[in-house]
Amino acid sequence: MRTLLQAATDYAISYLDGLGTRSVAPTPEAVDRLKVFREPLPDGPTDPAIVLRLLDEYASPATMAMAGPRFFGFVIGGSLPSALAANWLAGAWDQNSALYRVTPATALLEYVALGWLLDIFGLPAACGGAFVTGATVANFTALAAARHAVLAGVGWDVEANGLCGAPPITVVAGEEAHPTLLKSLGLLGLGRRRVVRVPVDSQGRMRPDALPPLPKPNIVCVQAGNVNTGAFDPIREIAPRVHAAEGWVHVDGAFGLWARTAPSRAHLAAGIEDADSWATDAHKWLNVPYDSGLAFVRDARTLQAAMAVTAEYLPTASEERNPSDYTPELSRRARGVEIWAALRSLGRSGLSDLIERTCRHARRFADGLTAAGHEVLNEVALNQVLVSFHDPGTTLRVIADLQAEGTCWCGSTVWQGRTAMRISVSSWATTDADVERSLDAILRIAARHRR
Ligand SMILES: Cc1ncc(COP(=O)(O)O)c(C=O)c1O
């Protein structure tokens, strides 16, 4: 076992060492070589060292260098060394981190991390919290608590009786809500299409003047950080109206919530503390390994009411917090350990530096592109940049050439009818030099396509 695990460490270290110099996208040749895996299941065992070597030889070169410093697609962080190392160790522990009495170390680390997270986000210390797989499930989890609470408010027990015959809930979200928020609502039986959508402004921010009537029971979902523009819904204006109507305010802050930890960006997320529940990702801006998301609910009892289970064979009775009392899963890996390690190693100043630095990089991209005469479509207040290279065809050709050239990787989007390239700077590993090198590549390729 020692030799095998040592080999895995060596492979992983040389993989990470090579990320700065290899093409960010895998080459077509590397992807072609993946065909080695298309084989029937062997009849007998294979030496684990050979199994591992297959992965290193054929899979590693065909990965996208998402853990590297110049991947700017989607909203994707790398893995902080502290978080990756903690992930390896926690993997070796292999704890089913559901119940304190069975897995006290990981349950306690998660509890401590929860307290730190509520502190850095400026949310009430008594919030319930769930460590889940990502923002999609974090939205699902928090909205399950919302569904419980608003129906309990009109005398309906949704956990016992389901939704058949329940009073209808008015659910509201902005026109630019993330599609996974609608998916989460659909999974909760609240319907993707019956959500009342609120018109937005040029940055995708919900227009508070366009908020619909809010009969009881109701849930209003606001967004902190639009995936294209980085913009925040004006929660300061929305929350009091929802609360006056005895409704529930939920914040999808998949990455935007982290703005709260950076002095120069915190104003963007002002008022978010007035909501009833929040969802965010740790695998985006905190830079912990996949998969890692977080849900927080002001009234912890509502989250527990939606999620906790008991059984004779489970030692659920405990003075201490049971992680699975708050999550859709019972059996679960101890993903709180990586979050604890990331926060413990960064400290407050390291975390705010990470957020400030990536926002600064985004600003540099925007300034460099604008100076070269390209149109930046969004107000670059956070870590997202949208740039158009004239017409849709040219923009898509620039993106395709950039991805093939390999210096960096950016994706495409259509923002309010305009085809654009997205640059999302979320990785701890990106340096000023990486930004300059990537900007040079983008400008060089765009110049080739200039009309
Ligand atoms: C605002 C928002 N909500 C939800 C999600 C979904 O997050 P995940 O893919 O971690 O489930 C994203 C992903 O980018 C997002 O930007």
Side-chain angles (χ1 to χ4, degrees):
M1 180 151 82
R2 178 173 289 275
T3 314
L4 183 72
L5 295 184
Q6 200 64 62
T9 312
D10 292 344
Y11 287 145
I13 291 170
S14 24
Y15 173 79
L16 292 173
D17 276 349
L19 285 180
T21 45
R22 58 161 270 193
S23 159
V24 175
T27 61
E29 299 72 41
V31 174
D32 186 55
R33 278 157 48 89
L34 285 173
K35 58 178 180 275
V36 72
F37 293 114
R38 298 182 194 273
E39 56 169 353
L41 177 66
D43 288 334
T46 307
D47 179 348
I50 296 176
V51 174
L52 193 67
R53 205 174 61 226
L54 282 170
L55 291 175
D56 182 59
E57 202 169 323
Y58 294 100
S60 289
T63 55
M64 177 70 80
M66 288 178 170
R70 293 186 305 281
F71 183 84
F72 305 116
F74 316 105
V75 185
I76 291 203
S79 287
L80 285 163
S82 58
L84 180 60
N87 169 283
W88 289 355
L89 187 55
W93 294 342
D94 193 23
Q95 302 287 283
N96 181 344
S97 193
L99 304 172
Y100 179 87
R101 279 170 60 194
V102 189
T103 55
T106 53
L108 179 71
L109 288 167
E110 184 175 308
Y111 172 75
V112 171
L114 173 60
W116 290 350
L117 289 161
L118 293 171
D119 179 22
I120 56 171
F121 289 138
L123 302 180
C127 279
F131 291 63
V132 294
T133 52
T136 304
V137 177
N139 279 322
F140 170 85
T141 304
L143 288 164
R147 185 183 68 163
H148 168 89
V150 300
L151 285 178
V154 290
W156 187 267
D157 180 346
V158 70
E159 278 71 40
N161 302 317
L163 282 177
C164 298
I169 305 175
T170 299
V171 183
V172 176
E175 278 295 354
E176 287 290 349
H178 197 273
T180 58
L181 179 92
L182 302 175
K183 174 176 164 175
S184 304
L185 290 166
L187 291 170
L188 287 162
L190 298 174
R192 297 187 194 194
R193 227 181 14 209
R194 63 181 286 288
V195 176
V196 184
R197 307 298 292 275
V198 181
V200 295
D201 68 10
S202 66
Q203 299 303 305
R205 291 179 285 243
M206 229 194 264
R207 278 180 30 216
D209 61 300
L211 215 56
L214 296 170
K216 204 174 156 187
N218 69 74
I219 300 171
V220 176
C221 304
V222 300
Q223 184 168 249
N226 177 283
V227 74
N228 283 306
T229 62
F232 291 68
D233 285 338
I235 188 168
R236 272 258 150 84
E237 291 164 71
I238 294 170
R241 303 222 344 236
V242 183
H243 287 146
E246 294 180 56
W248 180 288
V249 181
H250 170 69
V251 178
D252 175 2
F255 59 100
L257 206 55
W258 297 93
R260 305 264 294 179
T261 68
S264 80
R265 314 287 149 169
H267 67 280
L268 297 168
I272 270 176
E273 64 281 4
D274 296 337
D276 301 288
S277 61
W278 305 263
T280 192
D281 265 317
H283 58 217
K284 288 189 167 71
W285 231 347
L286 184 59
N287 282 253
V288 302
Y290 285 93
D291 44 19
S292 195
L294 297 156
F296 309 113
V297 178
R298 180 182 295 278
D299 181 353
R301 288 166 310 173
T302 59
L303 180 55
Q304 222 171 339
M307 295 297 163
V309 290
T310 56
E312 291 303 334
Y313 80 100
L314 295 173
T316 48
S318 170
E319 293 285 289
E320 304 286 344
R321 175 181 177 276
N322 285 326
S324 70
D325 279 354
Y326 303 92
T327 53
E329 308 89 356
L330 175 59
S331 296
R332 52 197 294 285
R333 76 180 184 91
R335 55 177 68 78
V337 176
E338 298 140 19
I339 295 178
W340 175 87
L343 293 172
R344 183 73 174 75
S345 70
L346 287 171
R348 282 179 207 280
S349 62
L351 178 60
S352 64
D353 280 355
L354 167 64
I355 305 303
E356 298 281 4
R357 190 167 72 238
T358 39
C359 291
R360 190 165 40 76
H361 290 329
R363 184 73 256 163
R364 169 66 190 132
F365 271 118
D367 290 346
L369 289 160
T370 310
H374 301 294
E375 187 185 3
V376 171
L377 303 183
N378 64 320
E379 295 164 10
V380 182
L382 206 62
N383 61 337
Q384 310 293 312
V385 182
L386 294 179
V387 56
S388 158
F389 299 102
H390 200 254
D391 57 289
T394 309
T395 302
L396 293 176
R397 278 192 291 280
V398 170
I399 296 169
D401 284 2
L402 184 68
Q403 292 177 359
E405 192 260 355
T407 300
C408 63
W409 199 98
C410 302
S412 68
T413 191
V414 178
W415 175 248
Q416 298 189 342
R418 301 281 310 274
T419 299
M421 185 172 90
R422 295 184 61 246
I423 306 173
S424 173
V425 195
S426 314
S427 176
W428 70 278
T430 306
T431 62
D432 288 344
D434 289 309
V435 174
E436 295 309 321
R437 200 170 141 189
S438 303
L439 196 51
D440 280 353
I442 296 168
L443 295 180
R444 189 172 4 96
I445 289 166
R448 289 212 299 261
H449 291 273
R450 194 140 220 169
R451 301 162 147 259

